[in-house]
Amino acid sequence: MKVVAVVLLALLLVGAAAWQILFKGEDSARKNVTGDLFQDVTKESGVTFRFRGDFMDGKLIPTMGAGAALADFDGDGWLDLVLVQQVRSAKSYRKNGHTQPLSDCTRLFRNRGNGTFEDVTERSGLRACGWGITAMWADLDGDGFPDLVIGNAGEPNTLWKNNGDGTFTHVENSGLEGGRFTVGLAALDADGDGIADVYVGNYLESDPDRESKTPAKAFMTPDQYVGQDNFFFRGLGNLRFEDRTEESGLKDPGSKTIGAAALDYDGDGKTDLYVSNDQWRNTLFHNEGGGKFRDVSDETGTGYPQEGPTAFGRRTRSGMGLVVQDLDGDNRPDLYVTNFSGEPDTLYRNVEGTVFEQSERQAFGGDADPVIPLSKWGVVAIDYDDDGRDDLAVSSGQILSRLWTVVSQWFNPIAKNFGVGEKSYAQRQFLLRNESVPGTLRFRDVSAESGDLGRLVIVGRGLSAGDLDGDGKLDLVFNPIDRPAIVLRNRTKGGRSLEILPVAGKDRKTILGTRVTVDGRMKEFYVVPSYASGSWTPLHFGLGAKTSATVSVRWPDGTAEDLGEVKVGAWKLRRGEALAPLRASAAR
């Protein structure tokens, strides 16, 4: 009996160890999290959504997850939410003519005006029911209402015209369809004609049918795919676009693009473009005027990381999520790029609009950088405490579950790359407080003091930020894999803010590239990037204890207006008109 007991005990121990290795892996949770900066209000928010992709059939595609994007689509001053969904059952999807129940499609949630939401997908007319990955809100026709672009994997992208009455119409033959593996989207006015253009960043040469036919035991990594070319589409007006990739110089051939963002890095009034790529050189395109661009990645230092580790011993990193924001207070946009496990996120400080200085080691502690062991995706610049400096929230999560990470290596030696870094599938999330001074970037990890944000252990992907309840604080929305979407309410005490949303006027010219300066701090209005998430949200200025600030604006055509002293609150800005309250009550 003793021998039997010993054998059973040994088997149990071996079984427990195998279970830990194959299914659970490393525990990523933080210990002793304190504070109440962010509170999980998902249940009371009314947001009920769970990303469900068909991993067995779609293989690589569902591992990419999907986006979460914010915009006030109905013009009532409150931020609404779109959460991108994928095909739940590929077999049924094909059998039913590439359709699936609306309940399994991308969902649109309308803000009721108090930070709670109702699902209005059915009555809105939105029918985004394919292999979705990316959502981008942008007013592409200059009517004052943000339209919606959904980027798909191996299927045509879809453009949804905002009718201004709470409904959407699918724009057929817009020119944006493509049908490739679209993850990165950006909107910009490349040639200064007042009409919004669109840049489409594509990822890998694959599609759902190819993935379905790939043997499950292949476990192919992104390294084993060829990258797809990107495309630039010039706006013709009335939501029609033409391919001007070759003429513009924006092709970026062979890249594996995940992120794209518009910015004016040198302050010359013309919109430039930054593209983040997976294990491929990132690219900065300088706008030469007239819709022509030049690759300046090498001369500006933004293509390859100059120091610090890469995951696979290469010159490149994994370029996933993007932040474009002035992080050191010098009124020039800096760049923050999220990367894979074993790599720090890349931080490029803009030096006088000419070159970029790689600064993550200085900013985050070098080898002690807390995000290095994890796989990072969604990221947002968020002045959570309204002290006037933009902080960073970063969402993490591994590509494959622990079981598949282990099993894949039995069949494909290259699949060992899936296991780089911390051996966990669901991972902890980050809040990094900006403690920089002009000329020096410095951040402190305050995740363990952040309340429910610090307690989150999820397979993070899409992430967006915006003031959901009108209290002047920026809240967070996560769209993870294998767990319902999460809404975190910002409960940070103290601090006031001023928010300004540029809106197209009667001339219907795009307001992309509008510069707003508040008490000497300048921000540009573009689609807010993250990972697979493009939000159309007001410019947010933290004012600390102040109750008002001096505001001026420079419109995309170079004309300027002095708006004088403006009270804290949320305001709508139209050319030649006085500021109007964004919502029923502007004062906070």
Side-chain angles (χ1 to χ4, degrees):
M1 292 297 293
K2 288 181 180 180
V3 172
V4 171
V6 170
V7 171
L8 289 175
L9 179 59
L11 289 173
L12 285 172
L13 291 173
V14 170
W19 175 269
Q20 183 74 17
I21 293 171
L22 291 177
F23 294 98
K24 190 173 181 182
E26 188 174 346
D27 183 7
S28 187
R30 289 185 183 84
K31 312 302 180 188
N32 304 315
V33 175
T34 62
D36 57 357
L37 301 181
F38 286 88
Q39 178 184 359
D40 189 337
V41 295
T42 306
K43 185 175 182 180
E44 50 265 51
S45 74
V47 174
T48 54
F49 180 90
R50 184 166 181 157
F51 175 84
R52 298 179 185 275
D54 188 345
F55 171 70
M56 297 305 296
D57 193 278
K59 301 182 180 67
L60 173 79
I61 295 173
T63 68
M64 300 297 290
L70 292 165
D72 173 18
F73 82 84
D74 55 1
D76 65 357
W78 298 90
L79 289 176
D80 311 300
L81 170 66
V82 66
L83 293 167
V84 181
Q85 187 60 281
Q86 255 180 39
V87 171
R88 186 169 183 175
S89 168
K91 182 178 180 180
S92 298
Y93 181 70
R94 295 187 184 97
K95 181 180 178 181
N96 294 320
H98 285 205
T99 62
Q100 63 180 351
L102 186 58
S103 59
D104 291 337
C105 300
T106 292
R107 309 303 292 178
L108 178 64
F109 294 89
R110 178 182 176 271
N111 195 325
R112 294 189 179 99
N114 57 5
T116 66
F117 295 82
E118 59 176 333
D119 188 333
V120 296
T121 310
E122 185 169 355
R123 72 171 185 251
S124 74
L126 180 65
R127 301 292 185 270
C129 293
W131 290 92
I133 293 182
T134 300
M136 180 183 75
W137 291 103
D139 181 4
L140 297 177
D141 56 2
D143 65 354
F145 293 93
D147 309 296
L148 180 62
V149 182
I150 300 293
N152 294 310
E155 294 181 330
N157 303 324
T158 56
L159 169 59
W160 299 87
K161 174 180 170 51
N162 189 334
N163 298 318
D165 59 1
T167 67
F168 292 81
T169 299
H170 179 211
V171 181
E172 297 183 359
N173 302 314
S174 70
L176 299 181
E177 288 80 9
R180 296 184 179 235
F181 197 150
T182 298
V183 185
L185 289 169
L188 66 158
D189 183 2
D191 52 6
D193 65 355
I195 302 174
D197 312 306
V198 175
Y199 185 80
V200 177
N202 297 310
Y203 187 36
L204 305 177
E205 191 61 54
S206 190
D207 56 58
D209 289 337
R210 171 176 165 176
E211 292 298 316
S212 178
K213 295 172 184 177
T214 300
K217 66 180 182 180
F219 291 102
M220 290 176 65
T221 73
D223 294 342
Q224 296 170 280
Y225 294 81
V226 175
Q228 288 185 333
D229 290 349
N230 298 335
F231 290 88
F232 170 70
F233 296 96
R234 179 176 180 266
L236 303 176
N238 197 29
L239 297 178
R240 290 293 183 267
F241 299 85
E242 65 176 358
D243 184 352
R244 298 297 294 271
T245 309
E246 293 292 344
E247 300 90 330
S248 69
L250 288 170
K251 190 173 184 178
D252 207 18
S255 60
K256 300 178 179 181
T257 296
I258 293 181
L263 74 162
D264 180 5
Y265 77 88
D266 57 356
D268 66 356
K270 297 187 289 290
T271 300
D272 311 303
L273 184 74
Y274 190 68
V275 179
S276 60
N277 298 313
D278 183 10
Q279 296 302 316
W280 194 271
R281 190 196 69 161
N282 295 341
T283 310
L284 178 61
F285 292 103
H286 179 263
N287 191 331
E288 304 283 291
K292 306 290 186 181
F293 290 79
R294 181 170 61 91
D295 183 343
V296 295
S297 311
D298 291 338
E299 65 191 72
T300 59
T302 53
Y304 296 99
Q306 303 302 314
E307 60 178 344
T310 59
F312 311 115
R314 304 169 184 162
R315 291 185 64 196
T316 53
R317 289 178 180 166
S318 304
M320 297 194 281
L322 271 175
V323 155
V324 177
Q325 193 63 274
D326 173 20
L327 298 174
D328 63 354
D330 65 358
N331 283 343
R332 298 184 181 92
D334 307 300
L335 297 166
Y336 183 90
V337 187
T338 58
N339 295 305
F340 188 56
S341 305
E343 303 172 326
D345 292 342
T346 308
L347 178 54
Y348 290 117
R349 186 176 75 85
N350 188 332
V351 181
E352 298 183 354
T354 304
V355 297
F356 287 78
E357 176 185 71
Q358 190 180 339
S359 301
E360 68 267 12
R361 293 186 68 80
Q362 171 199 82
F364 300 103
D367 293 340
D369 185 342
V371 306
I372 290 177
L374 309 180
S375 182
K376 291 79 64 180
W377 301 76
V379 58
V380 288
I382 171 175
D383 185 359
Y384 75 90
D385 53 2
D386 285 330
D387 68 350
R389 291 176 294 193
D390 283 300
D391 315 296
L392 295 168
V394 181
S395 186
S396 305
Q398 190 50 273
I399 295 178
L400 293 176
S401 69
R402 188 62 193 150
L403 171 63
W404 293 116
T405 299
V406 173
V407 172
S408 63
Q409 298 176 54
W410 299 345
F411 300 97
N412 180 6
I414 299 177
K416 67 180 184 298
N417 292 347
F418 289 136
V420 170
E422 185 179 282
K423 301 186 186 313
S424 56
Y425 184 39
Q427 298 182 338
R428 57 193 175 278
Q429 313 301 290
F430 288 91
L431 181 64
L432 306 168
R433 186 172 189 271
N434 190 338
E435 298 180 349
S436 304
V437 296
T440 301
L441 284 163
R442 183 163 48 249
F443 288 80
R444 181 168 62 89
D445 183 4
V446 296
S447 311
E449 310 162 24
S450 66
D452 287 343
L453 188 155
R455 298 183 183 95
L456 277 184
V457 181
I458 57 175
V459 186
R461 293 296 188 267
L463 170 64
S464 61
D467 182 3
L468 303 181
D469 57 356
D471 67 351
K473 304 289 184 183
L474 293 173
D475 311 301
L476 295 168
V477 180
F478 294 80
N479 187 11
I481 293 177
D482 291 339
R483 178 171 170 178
I486 300 160
V487 180
L488 295 185
R489 187 69 44 78
N490 187 339
R491 298 298 193 192
T492 309
K493 296 176 177 61
R496 298 184 176 92
S497 68
L498 192 154
E499 288 194 324
I500 295 180
L501 178 68
V503 179
K506 294 179 181 178
D507 62 6
R508 300 193 67 153
K509 291 186 176 181
T510 184
I511 44 78
L512 288 165
T514 300
R515 293 185 180 182
V516 176
T517 302
V518 173
D519 278 355
R521 285 182 289 136
M522 185 273 292
K523 293 187 177 184
E524 296 175 320
F525 185 81
Y526 290 109
V527 174
V528 180
S530 176
Y531 164 75
S533 311
S535 294
W536 191 262
T537 51
L539 296 171
H540 183 97
F541 295 86
L543 298 182
K546 298 183 67 173
T547 58
S548 65
T550 302
V551 179
S552 61
V553 57
R554 196 195 80 171
W555 297 99
D557 64 3
T559 59
E561 294 182 48
D562 185 356
L563 306 180
E565 197 76 8
V566 178
K567 293 181 179 179
V568 298
W571 303 90
K572 186 182 296 185
L573 172 64
R574 279 194 175 93
R575 183 194 295 264
E577 298 181 12
L579 285 172
L582 188 61
R583 296 181 281 270
S585 175
R588 299 185 182 124

